[in-house]
Amino acid sequence: MTTYANRSNLDLIDSYYASWKQDANSVDETWAKFFEGFEFGLSQTDKDQSGPSDSMRQSRVDSLVYAYRSLGHTAADINPLADTLSSQPMLRLSEFGLSEEDLDATVDAGHYMDGGPMKLKTILDGLKKTYCGKIGIEYIHMQNTEARRWIQQRLEPIHSKPKFSDQKKIRILRKIYAAETFERFIHTRYAGQKRFSLEGGETLIPCLDGLIEHCSDLEMKEAVIGMAHRGRLNVLANTIKKSYDYIFEEFAENYLPDTVAGDGDVKYHLGYKSIVKTRRGKEFSVRLSSNPSHLEAVDPVVQGKARARQRLLGDSERKRVIPVLIHGDAAFAGQGIVAEVFNFSQLPGYRTGGTVHIVVNNQIGFTTSPDEARSSRYCTDIAKIIEAPIIHINGDNPLEVVFATELAVDFRQKFQQDVVIDIVCYRRHGHNETDEPLFTQPILYQKIAKHPRISQTLTESLIKEGTLTQEDADKIQAEYQESLEKSLTIAKTKQENGNHKEKKFKGALATFQPDYSFDPVKTRASKKLIEQAVKGLTTLPEGFKINPKIKRLLQTRSKAFQENLSVDWAFGEALAFGTLLIEGTPIRLSGQDSERGTFSQRHAGIRDRDTLEKYVPLKNLSEDQAQFCVYNSLLSEAAVLGFDFGYSLDYPQMLCIWEAQFGDFANGAQVIIDQFITSSESKWQRVSGIVLLLPHGYEGQGPEHSSARLERFLQSCAEDNIQVCNLTTPAQYFHVLRRQTKRNFLKPLIIMAPKSLLRSKEATSPWKDFTSGSFQEIIADPSTNKETKRVILCSGKVYYDLKSYQTANNITDTTLVRIEQLYPLHNIMLRDILRQNKSAKTFIWCQEESKNMGAWSFIAPQIEEIIGQKILFAGRGPSASPAVGSLARHKIELNQFLEEAFTLS
């Protein structure tokens, strides 16, 4: 007879039973009848005897154990500021039909503490210590039975404080003293200066130390860390070993950061890297990513960096490089990008083998209390969307924090999943050191002012158990104080002697490169290389059953090469990819529907129509080619672009491409664009060669499918920070992609990618344009009339509209000039082209975007400076929305501004 009522399904049955008790209709009818019978039998048993039978008592004990595993965290002593412990009525013995009289009964412990006969009193005492002590853990929401059992086996036999050696306890105490002394020293020496203190959450420092030590013990090699500004200076000093004197220099009022180029950033945003020596003498690399004040925006960047580091180290199992994200409680609950990052944590193109999330839970935002900041019980509830275990810990108990950290690392290594450590602590000062928290939280901050420091309570505990003496503790504190004093003296001496820039960039995550140059690089490909790429791109394995339409596409491409026919846009892209891969440049392409392409143009992965087996031609070009990866992303812009940007930072040899489904949707990643892509080199000297493909073009598809907001990118252009292109031919696209990997400097490349031009017969290129020449920043049509009266400058798809109008109306006195790269603008080339049209009296800028959008505001002053006169505008009038919703109206506007382009004067 088959039955589900066995001990292996106890958790499931208990969860059904709990649901049924709340709502009889919430479970299947069969289960409802079962529970009705169970309740009836229970009531009859109670009537027939003074106490429950052994079997009935056992069932109730099993339910009690499950309840503590599920709800114990709600009664745990995890809040260091709490006056009383939270009560949980659902854990009372009476809730399970048990009483004090049952405590001496011997029952089967089941899975608890490895099972066996045990007094109920012993079980209950163990449950309280395990689940309602200084650690409260949530894990019953996890559907992975093996993972739940693993956590139980690690936690339940403990019942008490972590069993650390005296040496380890003293090391933890030293880290607490280091953190506290550092904060108090800066608070007194640099009064009033912002540092976003860690005070109240100093346990983060031994937490990170324990993580590094344990990772090293497990033969891991690197940690890539992301965090916001709170506590960052302390982490830099006491975890990543940025020297105290270096940090003190940055506090000096006359400190001038030697950024070489750009604007720099405040000290609590800067990244750093170092090799940390562990207690066993091993080397462990720690990389703290630079980040903006947009608190969680760095999360996906860290994931991308970690994935790149894993690839560079050959860490295919993702067990040697670990990403660590440090969050604040308000941001973790409030910022949507957190959910996006959790969502891609197990996806093939974005997984990193699990992230350790550490929440420094101050129990407050800027001035916002938890009841105003979230609807959930905990700030960490968002992690349940991927069934991550969540460990809540009282931040005043660093030994428990280190124990939980080691548990978290072990879980990550075994299950390759995210895990969350919630250090419940407090913020001793306001949001920053100039802020007054008593304005908004007077009662809370009166309590915090009286609350003992972590070092005090830990020292007292260790003295009581005989681990060290008060004299030992005083020596530790004095040691750190002396070190800080010496470092301050060194920093002041450097300032006075003017040599404060010495070793400025040691450990900094800075990359310095040559200035931007328009000097052409060799991007043409030999016919032999092209032929090899074409063969690989158009050949399928024998017996592979392909969709007929895709088969025709491949045949058309092969025929184009054999018969010297023109190349369309998608084929031009495939040739760029193929030739780069054969030459040894790896490529990563990521985005929504990128494998096939939004417009069904790419087909990078081809499926067998019967077996669904996938074949990727770009992975089968040659035996020694570089790696090609293409990933359909989750429906996210911010997290995915952040990930790919992070990847590009740490793997600069790769052509890393992010593609928006439509350019209009790129503004969903505006924070990543503004805070990282356009400004990272200026702020942090962190360079990237990432490519953004943003489908752009006005074709009557409405305001949400027309504009990649070209104007916003151009508004951000300065200091040669990015490249912005609006191309018109497949060959230009081919050359600009290849150019991106062949110069001796890196800049992000923003491409207004085509839509209708993908299949336009006009927007094709001959083969000679791929085997000769190079990228042209500006292209002028050959003049058909020596007496040119009008020059129309434009960029992108509108060129073909202008060309069509010019041809249809037999206009011969006008020259069309295409600006393919809007920034950096090749002023010398543009000046030379315009001087060739000396007879021209009228200069027009024509664009399909509205006047307050597109390139007009950016480009007009620069052109006027070159030509020495006003340039006229032909295009759509100013508008609040990027485009009209009516195709008919779109066509009317198009015809109107095309006529104006050739008639305005």
Side-chain angles (χ1 to χ4, degrees), residues 443 691 882:
I443 296 176
V691 178

Side-chain angles (χ1 to χ4, degrees), residues 184-386:
R184 288 202 300 270
F185 188 87
I186 293 180
H187 191 68
T188 56
R189 298 305 192 279
Y190 299 101
Q193 284 209 42
K194 289 183 182 181
R195 70 180 190 278
F196 297 96
S197 161
L198 187 60
E199 289 182 83
E202 291 97 338
T203 302
L204 175 65
I205 302 304
C207 170
L208 291 174
D209 179 69
L211 182 143
I212 291 169
E213 291 288 329
H214 198 55
C215 285
S216 179
D217 290 344
L218 296 176
E219 302 302 324
M220 301 172 75
K221 301 299 180 184
E222 289 188 12
V224 183
I225 302 177
M227 68 180 298
H229 38 277
R230 180 155 315 283
R232 190 181 188 91
L233 295 179
N234 210 315
V235 170
L236 283 166
N238 291 311
T239 300
I240 311 182
K241 310 304 180 186
K242 185 175 182 178
S243 68
Y244 290 151
D245 54 290
Y246 189 160
I247 293 173
F248 294 156
E249 286 182 65
E250 295 173 324
F251 272 97
E253 292 183 1
N254 63 341
Y255 174 69
L256 292 173
D258 185 6
T259 58
V260 177
D263 304 310
D265 201 350
V266 292
K267 50 189 169 292
Y268 39 80
H269 287 172
L270 302 177
Y272 207 74
K273 63 181 178 181
S274 69
I275 303 297
V276 176
K277 281 286 184 72
T278 69
R279 72 188 188 286
R280 299 185 189 277
K282 294 182 180 180
E283 291 188 343
F284 189 86
S285 175
V286 184
R287 295 166 178 262
L288 177 64
S289 181
S290 306
N291 74 282
S293 285
H294 298 62
L295 298 175
E296 300 290 341
V298 76
D299 296 359
V301 178
V302 166
Q303 300 293 340
K305 286 165 62 66
R307 173 100 168 198
R309 296 300 304 168
Q310 288 169 349
R311 179 164 177 171
L312 288 168
L313 294 181
D315 183 17
S316 59
E317 294 185 351
R318 313 203 186 285
K319 291 191 174 184
R320 299 171 65 196
V321 178
I322 183 172
V324 179
L325 291 175
I326 303 170
H327 313 269
D329 50 310
F332 197 58
Q335 295 286 299
I337 201 169
V338 173
E340 294 183 28
V341 172
F342 274 128
N343 195 19
F344 71 42
S345 65
Q346 293 298 314
L347 299 182
Y350 309 91
R351 60 186 171 217
T352 54
T355 299
V356 174
H357 299 266
I358 302 170
V359 181
V360 180
N361 188 344
N362 295 309
Q363 306 185 71
I364 194 171
F366 194 141
T367 64
T368 305
S369 58
D371 61 338
E372 299 172 304
R374 62 177 186 267
S375 299
S376 58
R377 182 187 189 101
Y378 297 115
C379 65
T380 54
D381 283 346
I382 188 64
K384 292 178 183 177
I385 66 173
I386 59 164

Side-chain angles (χ1 to χ4, degrees), residues 639-869:
V640 177
L641 178 55
F643 183 99
D644 288 330
F645 173 76
Y647 205 119
S648 73
L649 288 178
D650 278 42
Y651 199 164
Q653 300 83 7
M654 168 182 278
L655 179 63
C656 193
I657 304 172
W658 176 75
E659 181 177 52
Q661 190 180 68
F662 281 84
D664 311 67
F665 307 153
N667 59 12
Q670 200 65 48
V671 169
I672 303 298
I673 293 167
D674 291 344
Q675 311 310 131
F676 291 95
I677 292 176
T678 63
S679 58
S680 66
E681 183 177 5
S682 179
K683 292 190 294 187
W684 310 314
Q685 287 73 57
R686 296 293 283 131
V687 302
S688 166
I690 192 171
V691 178
L692 274 61
L693 298 180
L694 310 178
H696 173 89
Y698 284 56
E699 292 146 353
Q701 294 188 35
E704 315 303 336
H705 296 84
S706 297
S707 175
R709 294 289 190 172
L710 172 62
E711 63 279 358
R712 291 180 179 169
F713 289 98
L714 294 176
Q715 185 184 45
S716 299
C717 290
E719 302 175 314
D720 295 333
N721 59 332
I722 59 174
Q723 305 160 105
V724 181
C725 292
N726 197 5
L727 311 173
T728 56
T729 73
Q732 282 282 86
Y733 184 37
F734 171 89
H735 286 295
V736 82
L737 287 178
R738 287 177 56 80
R739 183 186 72 165
Q740 189 70 354
T741 70
K742 295 182 178 297
R743 294 182 295 185
N744 61 351
F745 58 88
L746 293 171
K747 301 285 181 179
L749 172 61
I750 317 299
I751 296 178
M752 300 293 112
K755 295 179 291 182
S756 62
L757 293 189
L758 291 169
R759 292 176 175 82
S760 170
K761 293 182 179 179
E762 287 74 28
T764 59
S765 298
W767 286 98
K768 66 178 181 62
D769 286 358
F770 298 88
T771 57
S772 63
S774 61
F775 178 71
Q776 302 298 306
E777 287 84 357
I778 304 171
I779 303 174
D781 280 6
S783 178
T784 58
N785 187 338
K786 292 183 180 180
E787 296 300 319
T788 296
K789 297 179 180 178
R790 176 183 301 266
V791 174
I792 301 176
L793 298 101
C794 63
S795 187
K797 182 184 74 69
V798 74
Y799 164 77
Y800 292 100
D801 296 320
L802 290 164
K803 191 69 176 176
S804 175
Y805 187 96
Q806 183 184 38
T807 302
N809 291 277
N810 194 29
I811 299 173
T812 61
D813 63 351
T814 299
T815 296
L816 302 181
V817 176
R818 289 170 272 173
I819 299 184
E820 301 279 290
Q821 179 171 300
L822 290 158
Y823 189 82
L825 182 64
H826 200 326
N827 287 285
I828 296 175
M829 179 182 286
L830 180 59
R831 182 194 62 200
D832 292 344
I833 288 173
L834 295 180
R835 283 179 177 177
Q836 293 171 14
N837 295 275
K838 295 180 180 179
S839 58
K841 301 298 181 183
T842 303
F843 293 86
I844 306 288
W845 174 262
C846 183
Q847 65 180 39
E848 55 186 353
E849 300 87 358
S850 300
K851 190 173 185 179
N852 58 321
M853 302 174 190
W856 165 249
S857 298
F858 174 82
I859 201 76
Q862 299 183 71
I863 296 175
E864 289 174 351
E865 185 174 346
I866 292 173
I867 62 177
Q869 68 179 69

